[in-house]
Amino acid sequence: MKLKLTLSRLENLLMTACDDLRGSMDASEYKEYIFGMLFLKRASDLFDQRQAELRKQFAAQGMSPDDIEGALIDSDHYSGKYFFVPPRARWNQGWQEAVVENGEKKIIDRPALKHVKENVGSALNKALEAIEDHNMDALQDVLKGINFNRKIGQRTLDDDTLADFVQNFEKIPLKDSDFEFPDLLGAAYEWLIKYFADSAGKKAGEFYTPAEVVRICVEICDPEEGMSVYDPTVGSGGMLIQMRDYLREKGGSADELALFGQEKMGTTWSICKMNMLLHGISHADIRQEDTLREPQHLDETNELKRFDRVVANPPFSQNYIKKDLKFSGRFPVMMPEKGKKADLMFVQHMLSVLKHNGRMATVMPHGVLFRGGEEREARKHFIEHGYLEAIIGLPGNLFYGTGIPACILVMNKAGAANRDHVLFINADREYREGKAQNHLRPEDIDKIIYAYRANKDIPAYARRVPKAEIVAEDYNCNIRRYVDNAPPPEPHDVRAHLHGGVPKMEVESLANFWQNYPQLKDDAFVSRDETYLDFAPVLADKREIADFVASHQSVMSRHEEFMQTLENWWQANLPIVEALAPDAANQEGKPRNVYVMRRSLLASIEQALARQNLLTPFQVRGAFANYVDVLKADFKSIAASGWGPELIPDEDILQSQFPEVLEALEQAQSRLAELQALFAAADEEDFEDSDDTGVMNSEQVKSLKARLKETKGMAKLCKRDPNMGDAALYQREAEQIEVQLERHKVLEDEVKTLKATIKGIEGKRDELVQSAREKISTDEARTVIIERLRQLLMNTYRAYLRADQRACIKAIENLWGKYAVTAKTIEAERDAASQQLQAFLVELGYE
C-alpha cells in the first residue's frame, strides 16, 4: 500500500531543505530558493503525470509510438495547472544537448536535474528560465529572478550544498496522486510563508500579514459568488487566497470569485504568482508595479477598473512621489510627499476603485486617525461622504517589523449617502501575549466580527458615534476618545487595610465566579460583620488558594458537567464527521465539503453549550473555529482519501508500539542538552567547575595542550641531562595534565556519541513508524483517528476551563494580597523587628 503525503510530512521535508541552507544565509535570502525549487519540482512532476495520461489516451486512439512521442512535445497539450517542461528542466529525465566545439557539432548527454552534481546553480537557473520561456503567458518574469548563483556575502553556494538541497526535493513526491488532499501543496506554501515570516523579523512585513488580521478583513468584506476582489498591495497573496477560502466556507464556488492584485517588490510579486499557481488559482490577475504611481488594472476604456471588494495591508508610513502620478483624480486630498504620509493615499486609491456598492477593509497605523493637516482633510472627506463605516482598534505588536498598534478602516459605499455615524470598535486589550508578537485569539476575532455585524453599542467595546460628534471633535478619530475600555481602578477599602476583613462589595463583584461555582464563596469566606468577610480557616496561606479552588467540589462538578455536555454533543454529531469520508460504495461520488461540515457543527455546538456560563459565546465559537483550523488538513484528507493511516501522527504510533525507542531518544536528547549547556557555561567569564565535571573552555584546553608539550619536552631533556632539572617532576605534571585533558575529551566524545545515537534512533524511528503504519488497516486507522479528533476537541475546551479556573484563583489571591495582612499587623511586625535589632546592638555593645 502506497502511503500518501500528508501536510505534516511535507512540512517536515521542507523544513529539512531549509535546514540545509540556514547556515549559509538568513531566511529572507533563501526563501526564494525554496519557493523556486518547490515550483520546479511540482511543474516537472505534473508534466510527467500529464505525459502518462496523454500516452495512455493517444495509445487508446490507435496512434503509433512515433506519433505519440511527437504529440507529447506539443505544448498545446499542457495548460491550466500543467506547464510544458522542456528537457533541461525535467527532474527525472536525462537529455541531449547539441554543442559546437572546435567548429564541430557534438551531441552531449546531460543528466536529469536530480542527478546534476557540477555547476548545480547554473543548471537550476537555466531550468527555471527554460520553464518560463516555454510558458510565457502564465510565468513571464516569475522565475528568471531566482538566481542560485547569487553571492551571499563574498561567496556563492557550492555544488555540494546545492546538490544536497536538490536531493531533499527528490524525497518530496508532488504529483496529484501523491497528495492526501487536493490543496495540500497550497497549504504547505502558506506554512512556508509563515515560517519565513517568523524567521525574517522586520523584513517579513513586506510579504506577510498575520492570518488573524487577514481573517477579520475577509469576514468584514464577506465576498459573494460573482464578485471581483482586489488587493493593491498584495504581498504573497494571502488575503486573496483567504477571500477564496472564505467563500468556500459559506458553500460558494471559489471559481466564481475574480481575484486581482498588484505588488511593487519584484521578489514578493514572484512569490505571490507562484503561491496562486500552487493553490490552483491560475485565473488570478497579479501585476507588478507601484500601485500609487501606476495602477495596472484598467477597464476596456482604459479607466481604472472597479471592484466589489478591496482588501489590503499597505506598507506603513512610507513616502511617495507626486511627479508622474497617473490617474491623479483618485486623490481628492493629496498627502505630503515627505514625512511618511502615504497611508491615506493608499486608502483613497482603494476607495476610488470601489464599485458604487462596494466595501473595503484595510489595515492602517493609528496615526492616520488623529494627525492633522492633510490627513484631517482626508478623514473629513471620508466622513462627510458617508464612506467611513467602521474603525477597529487592534492590539499592539501584532505585526512583523513594528510594535505600533494598528487599526482596520472599513469603507462602504453601499448606503453611504444616508450614513450618519461611524462604528468605533476598541479591541486593543483582548489578545494573547507571545514572545516576539502578540496574537488575536479565536474568541477575539469572533467578538470583533460580531460587533461589526451587530452594528450596535457594546459597553467599553463598541459604539456608534454620530457624525456630528466627530465633527465637534474636529474629525479626530482617536478610538479611545469615543470608546474608553480602560479597566476600572482597583478598589481599596482603607478600614479593611487597617483593621482586617474583606469588603463584601468586592467579593460580590466576582459574582460570575460564584454563579458558576456555587458554594465556593461560602467555603472561601466567613462573615465578620454586616460589611466585611474574613478568609475561611481552611485558607491559612495565599499559596493554598490555587489547590483549594482546583479541588473544590463545585469547580470540579461544573467542569465535569461541561465536559459531559461536550462529550454528548460529540457522540451525537460524530456521524457528520464520519460522513466526510468518501462513500466506499460510490467512489465517484462528490467529495464531502469540510467547510459545510464546519458551518454545521459550529452552529450545533453553539446551541449545545448555550446554557452554560463558564465560557462566553465568543469563546465557544472561537474554540471550535480554532479546533477545525488546527485540524483543517486532517479533515480535508479524510474528505479526499478516507481514514488513511497516514493521518496517525508518528508520535502516537511510537508511543503505542515502540515506547522504548521514544524513551531512549528522550534520554539521549536530555543528556546532550545537559552537556551542551555545560560546554556553553565553560565558555563564559568567571566559570568555575564547582561540580568537578572535568569540562574546560577552549582557551584552557589550548593552554593545557601547550603546557603538556612543554613538560614532556622538559622531561626528555632532564633525562638526558639531570642538571636541567627533575625529570620525574615534569613527568608527574605531564601525567596530571593528560588526566585533565582526558576527562574533558571523554565529555567531548560523549557529545559526539550522543549525536550519532540520536541520529541513529531518528533514522530507526522513521523506519519503525513506516513499517508499523503499513500494517494498520483502514478500520483500525478510523478508530484511532476518531479518538484523536475527540481528544483534541476535549483538550481545546478543557484549556478554556482551566483559564477560567486560573482567573478565579487570581481574583481571590488579589483579595488576599490586599486584605489578608492588615496595616496594623505590618506595623507590629516592623516594631518587633526594630526591637529585636536594638537588642542585638545592645548585646554587641552599641547603645
Side-chain angles (χ1 to χ4, degrees), residues 180-313:
E180 185 63 28
F181 62 89
D183 200 24
L184 176 81
L185 196 57
Y189 200 93
E190 289 175 33
W191 172 84
L192 267 176
I193 291 173
K194 173 70 165 62
Y195 168 79
F196 286 125
D198 289 338
S199 305
K202 289 186 176 182
K203 295 179 182 178
E206 296 176 2
F207 61 89
Y208 186 79
T209 302
E212 312 97 285
V213 177
V214 177
R215 180 72 190 191
I216 293 171
C217 293
V218 166
E219 290 220 29
I220 285 171
C221 285
D222 193 21
E224 303 283 349
E225 284 187 353
M227 284 187 171
S228 56
V229 178
Y230 171 62
D231 184 343
T233 55
V234 74
S236 56
M239 283 190 160
L240 293 183
I241 291 169
Q242 278 214 36
M243 291 287 261
R244 179 201 71 161
D245 290 349
Y246 177 73
L247 184 58
R248 282 178 172 178
E249 282 183 38
K250 297 201 303 179
S253 170
D255 295 334
E256 298 299 318
L257 195 68
L259 303 178
F260 301 84
Q262 185 166 332
E263 172 57 41
K264 178 180 179 181
M265 306 296 292
T267 301
T268 305
W269 171 83
S270 175
I271 289 172
C272 179
K273 288 282 287 186
M274 287 188 279
N275 194 7
M276 294 294 166
L277 293 168
L278 292 177
H279 269 86
I281 307 174
S282 57
H283 64 276
D285 184 350
I286 311 297
R287 309 283 181 91
Q288 184 192 354
E289 189 51 77
D290 183 331
T291 300
L292 292 184
R293 288 177 63 79
E294 294 190 52
Q296 295 292 298
H297 294 94
L298 308 179
D299 61 19
E300 57 277 1
T301 65
N302 275 335
E303 293 296 320
L304 288 173
K305 187 175 179 63
R306 311 284 177 172
F307 305 96
D308 296 289
R309 297 288 185 265
V310 178
V311 61
N313 176 20

Side-chain angles (χ1 to χ4, degrees), residues 18 45 154 425 504 516:
C18 291
D45 280 8
Q154 296 299 312
I425 300 173
K504 279 187 178 180
N516 287 336

Side-chain angles (χ1 to χ4, degrees), residues 5 47 93 109 125 155 183 195 239 241 251 259 404 436 446 453 464 470 537 546-547 566 659 661 760-761 768 825:
L5 186 65
F47 179 78
Q93 300 175 26
D109 289 327
N125 289 346
R155 62 188 183 85
D183 200 24
Y195 168 79
M239 283 190 160
I241 291 169
L259 303 178
I404 65 171
D446 189 80
R453 290 179 179 164
R464 288 161 50 101
I470 302 173
D547 286 340
L566 187 62
V661 174
I761 293 175
L768 290 172
T825 301

Side-chain angles (χ1 to χ4, degrees), residues 623-779:
F624 188 77
N626 189 51
Y627 165 75
V628 176
D629 285 346
V630 167
L631 289 168
K632 185 161 54 177
D634 293 60
F635 285 129
K636 285 183 176 180
S637 296
I638 293 167
S641 307
W643 307 102
E646 302 93 335
L647 294 182
I648 304 174
D650 292 1
E651 294 301 310
D652 289 4
I653 292 177
L654 285 167
Q655 197 67 58
S656 64
Q657 299 193 39
F658 309 105
E660 70 284 355
V661 174
L662 275 181
E663 185 179 354
L665 181 62
E666 187 177 337
Q667 289 177 352
Q669 289 173 331
S670 177
R671 176 58 179 161
L672 178 61
E674 183 183 327
L675 288 174
Q676 288 175 330
L678 190 62
F679 279 103
D683 282 331
E684 293 178 1
E685 287 186 33
D686 304 324
F687 170 74
E688 291 184 13
D689 189 14
S690 55
D691 294 331
D692 193 28
T693 61
V695 72
M696 295 183 288
N697 61 42
S698 53
E699 287 300 317
Q700 287 175 303
V701 173
K702 184 178 178 182
S703 175
L704 279 177
K705 284 182 176 178
R707 180 59 184 163
L708 178 62
K709 184 177 180 181
E710 184 181 335
T711 51
K712 282 186 174 181
M714 289 301 297
K716 288 180 181 178
L717 283 174
C718 293
K719 283 181 181 178
R720 288 198 298 266
D721 183 359
N723 293 326
M724 295 289 294
D726 188 345
L729 193 63
Y730 283 114
Q731 186 64 37
R732 280 196 299 275
E733 183 182 353
E735 289 170 356
Q736 290 171 351
I737 293 173
E738 285 177 332
V739 169
Q740 281 183 273
L741 290 171
E742 180 59 27
R743 289 184 70 198
H744 179 81
K745 186 174 183 300
V746 166
L747 294 175
E748 287 185 322
D749 290 344
E750 187 180 359
V751 168
K752 292 177 184 176
T753 303
L754 284 168
K755 286 181 176 178
T757 300
I758 290 169
K759 188 174 182 180
I761 293 175
E762 287 177 340
K764 178 185 175 185
R765 179 184 66 177
D766 291 345
E767 292 175 13
L768 290 172
V769 168
Q770 180 75 0
S771 173
R773 187 173 269 126
E774 289 173 355
K775 297 174 184 175
I776 299 173
S777 70
T778 301
D779 286 342

